[in-house]
Amino acid sequence: MDWFIETLRRYPELAIFLTLGLGYWVGSFKIGTFSLGAVTATLLVGVVVGQAGITISPNVKSVFFLMFLFALGYGVGPQFFRGLKGDGLPQVFFAVIICVLCLLVTWGCAVVAGFDAGTGAGLLSGAQTISAVIGTGTDTINGLNIPADQKKAMIDHIPVAYAVTYIFGTAGTAWILASLGPRILGIDLPAVCKEYEAKMGGGETMGLSAYRVFTARAYRVERDGCIGKTVADVEGMFKDFRVFIQRVRSGEAIIEAEPSTRLKSGDVAMIVGRHEALVDLGPKNVGAEVEDRELLNVPAEILEVVLTNKEVAGKTLGELAESPIGKELARGVFLRKVERDGLELPFNAGLKLDRGDHMFLVGAKKNVDRVAGKLGYPDRPTDQTDMVFVGAGILIGGLLGSLAIKVGGVPISLSTSGGSLIMGLVFGWLRSTRPTFGRISAGAQWLLSSVGLTLFIAVVGITAGPGFVAGFQTLGLRLFIAGIVATSVPMILGVYIGKYLFKFHPAINLGCNAGARTTTAAIGQIMEVAKSRVPVLGYTVPYAISNTLLIIWGIVIVILMQ
């Protein structure tokens, strides 16, 4: 054991990877629906490893923290800027109010409990479930004009406060919004979500469709009602179901069907559509189903497309279906789902599309390619990342963040971390509007954000390890109580503010609060209780705004407590 510990001291990089691996492993365990998660588990493992007295350069954690913040900004940037205009503004204002409440309540709890600035920053980080405050708070304390030993004491208190308050911050927020929230609002959450879906035009939409189970089948043209009719006429016979005839075998020849193509007796038509529609209505409207592998052998593709077309953005699916461009795009293509900020949106005629949305198209490759080019930019899977873009973004952001102004003799700046976050927002927005450059692959984005943060936290835990236990013993109970108050008060008030001031639909209200708290566990729990994806419509804009403001609050709370 002595050899092992000495090796870790000599090669601290090994201690970091030991902490990282064990942290992800411990964080994967679940008790019911709750788990510590990789970040908190890595911090706690780091504290244990840090008992060995391992010294790590602070530059290591700074590098990983800048990577994380840039990737975070890049991910939420499109929704952040889209939320600043149009229908997203009420949710933006709501998120700002909740963020201010989170700051003030946390500050109040810290002052009443007699905490120092480091403990206050850690309380904000854990109670409001925003791990990145550990970094911005640390950077701000390092910039204070106070003795080095005082700085170290404050910085050591940050991970202690975070660890004590984070568990209730996560689990408590999920419970308040998913269980207590519907009671405060006096609603049956599944019922109001169904009502909202119906109001939005839930169910099948015209044009681009939300069919998830579709197929292609071949039918011989035999029924009098379709012989001599055009392809468009026959497709219209399926009434409430959207189908299209893609190819026709006429004799030995196979032709690509157009809406004006006329069907003759004995032709075989390849019809694509929802499975139940073809099974029930195909034989009735067209004729007997036949086996024709050559006719049905059409290359198909599922393609992810980033929406950039201004004529499409801002329209609901229902409006798009009835518009000229929608009818032009719809033929031969199905829309399986729409994602925004990595979350799948509820799918119905009332869903309003936004630039930067990811639309998943299904159909014959030639049709999918045709539609993708008119909707936006095809985002085909790739492992390539524009590292020039990433490097330039972090450099520019860090340089801007390093500029400081003095207020009352105290230097105030965004710090390199805040600057990287802001530049990530800008670069992410640029990518969503001009997706031909600045690509960060999904794998690289996960590495920059998830691993970047956990590696930063690993170093924090290892460095703070020696003083962590003493700090926990001194501050534990007061911190835990302060954390409950700092977590609960903004969320309970937020439900009332969403109802009475902003008059949000109840399901949207709960989603907005989860987004404003940036708690993924909460939105997951709300959707599980609601048995619906409707709450996601309130999550994405507040999440983008709060992810930015709450991280900046790490700077503000340190200044407030000086």
Side-chain angles (χ1 to χ4, degrees):
M1 179 60 73
D2 290 341
W3 168 82
F4 181 68
I5 291 175
E6 282 301 319
T7 302
L8 293 182
R9 288 173 179 165
R10 189 178 309 157
Y11 303 102
E13 63 271 23
L14 298 181
I16 295 174
F17 285 104
L18 170 65
T19 302
L20 185 70
L22 288 177
Y24 271 95
W25 180 64
V26 173
S28 66
F29 290 105
K30 287 188 175 183
I31 301 175
T33 58
F34 175 77
S35 68
L36 282 175
V39 174
T40 306
T42 298
L43 174 64
L44 296 177
V45 171
V47 167
V48 174
V49 173
Q51 301 306 312
I54 298 166
T55 302
I56 301 174
S57 168
N59 293 333
V60 174
K61 67 179 181 181
S62 296
V63 169
F64 289 119
F65 192 53
L66 294 184
M67 288 166 50
F68 158 71
L69 286 176
F70 180 81
L72 174 65
Y74 178 90
V76 303
Q79 195 64 19
F80 179 90
F81 286 103
R82 283 197 301 270
L84 298 179
K85 59 182 181 180
D87 295 343
L89 279 176
Q91 294 184 10
V92 170
F93 294 141
F94 175 82
V96 171
I97 290 173
I98 298 303
C99 285
V100 171
L101 275 175
C102 289
L103 174 64
L104 295 180
V105 173
T106 303
W107 179 42
C109 288
V111 170
V112 170
F115 296 149
D116 61 22
T119 308
L123 173 61
L124 177 69
S125 182
Q128 313 307 335
T129 67
I130 191 78
S131 307
V133 165
I134 294 175
T136 53
T138 299
D139 288 348
T140 307
I141 290 172
N142 277 325
L144 297 177
N145 188 22
I146 58 176
D149 59 340
Q150 191 176 346
K151 288 182 183 179
K152 185 178 186 308
M154 287 184 181
I155 290 171
D156 284 349
H157 286 165
I158 295 178
V160 176
Y162 171 83
V164 171
T165 58
Y166 178 81
I167 293 177
F168 186 84
T170 300
T173 299
W175 177 78
I176 289 169
L177 295 180
S179 299
L180 186 60
R183 296 179 187 177
I184 293 174
L185 296 171
I187 59 167
D188 179 338
L189 187 55
V192 298
C193 285
K194 286 184 180 178
E195 171 199 337
Y196 190 84
E197 289 172 352
K199 182 180 177 182
M200 289 181 68
E204 186 174 7
T205 63
M206 301 292 289
L208 294 175
S209 300
Y211 301 156
R212 297 167 186 267
V213 181
F214 70 95
T215 187
R217 306 176 84 126
Y219 296 92
R220 191 175 304 281
V221 178
E222 298 173 333
R223 302 290 179 242
D224 292 340
C226 70
I227 295 174
K229 296 294 181 67
T230 66
V231 162
D233 291 335
V234 175
E235 291 171 348
M237 294 168 62
F238 286 77
K239 296 182 180 178
D240 296 332
F241 293 96
R242 176 179 174 248
V243 303
F244 64 90
I245 299 174
Q246 184 167 323
R247 307 172 86 195
V248 176
R249 179 187 290 280
S250 184
E252 294 299 320
I254 294 178
I255 61 173
E256 298 297 324
E258 299 292 339
S260 59
T261 302
R262 291 194 177 274
L263 301 178
K264 303 188 299 293
S265 178
D267 285 351
V268 179
M270 172 188 172
I271 307 180
V272 180
R274 196 163 181 163
H275 176 79
E276 57 265 36
L278 299 187
V279 169
D280 293 342
L281 299 177
K284 183 186 300 183
N285 292 339
V286 182
E289 184 175 2
V290 298
E291 177 70 16
D292 194 327
R293 294 189 179 185
E294 184 183 8
L295 181 68
L296 297 175
N297 186 20
V298 177
E301 183 177 21
I302 299 175
L303 181 60
E304 184 177 351
V305 178
V306 180
L307 177 61
T308 60
N309 189 327
K310 294 181 180 179
E311 291 185 63
V312 175
K315 285 185 168 62
T316 66
L317 287 181
E319 291 168 346
L320 177 60
E322 297 303 318
S323 68
I325 187 172
K327 291 178 179 178
E328 176 190 355
L329 295 177
R331 182 166 183 80
V333 176
F334 294 90
L335 181 59
R336 291 189 67 184
K337 63 178 179 178
V338 178
E339 289 185 355
R340 186 173 297 160
D341 294 339
L343 292 172
E344 184 176 346
L345 300 176
F347 208 119
N348 46 48
L351 175 63
K352 181 175 286 189
L353 298 171
D354 248 333
R355 291 182 72 183
D357 283 350
H358 288 241
M359 306 176 71
F360 290 76
L361 307 180
V362 184
K365 188 175 186 308
K366 68 168 189 173
N367 290 329
V368 169
D369 288 341
R370 169 181 58 83
V371 173
K374 294 183 178 180
L375 285 177
Y377 182 77
D379 200 15
R380 289 187 167 86
T382 178
D383 57 0
Q384 293 184 344
T385 291
D386 187 348
M387 288 307 298
V388 174
F389 183 83
V390 174
I394 295 176
L395 173 63
I396 295 170
L399 289 174
L400 293 176
S402 67
L403 302 176
I405 59 172
K406 286 193 174 182
V407 178
V410 178
I412 297 176
S413 74
L414 284 173
S415 74
T416 56
S417 53
S420 295
L421 172 65
I422 299 301
M423 201 52 57
L425 292 170
V426 174
F427 275 40
W429 172 75
L430 288 174
R431 160 70 181 172
S432 72
T433 57
R434 299 288 187 276
T436 54
F437 70 95
R439 178 184 175 83
I440 302 179
S441 69
Q445 191 164 353
W446 179 85
L447 184 71
L448 290 170
S449 57
S450 178
V451 179
L453 177 60
T454 47
L455 279 169
F456 164 77
I457 291 294
V459 178
V460 168
I462 293 170
T463 304
F468 186 92
V469 175
F472 186 87
Q473 290 172 339
T474 303
L475 301 169
L477 181 59
R478 279 186 296 157
L479 264 176
F480 187 71
I481 294 172
I484 291 175
V485 175
T487 293
S488 303
V489 172
M491 284 296 90
I492 293 173
L493 291 177
V495 174
Y496 285 111
I497 291 170
K499 178 179 180 180
Y500 292 109
L501 181 59
F502 288 89
K503 302 187 185 305
F504 291 141
H505 183 276
I508 304 299
N509 184 350
L510 297 175
C512 284
N513 275 279
R517 176 52 62 77
T518 67
T519 307
T520 305
I523 191 63
Q525 189 70 23
I526 292 168
M527 287 192 295
E528 185 175 328
V529 172
K531 299 179 176 60
S532 169
R533 292 190 171 274
V534 166
V536 173
L537 295 174
Y539 181 81
T540 57
V541 170
Y543 177 83
I545 300 299
S546 294
N547 240 323
T548 305
L549 283 182
L550 288 175
I551 291 173
I552 294 173
W553 283 179
I555 301 170
V556 176
I557 195 167
V558 171
I559 294 171
L560 287 175
M561 297 190 69
Q562 284 303 296

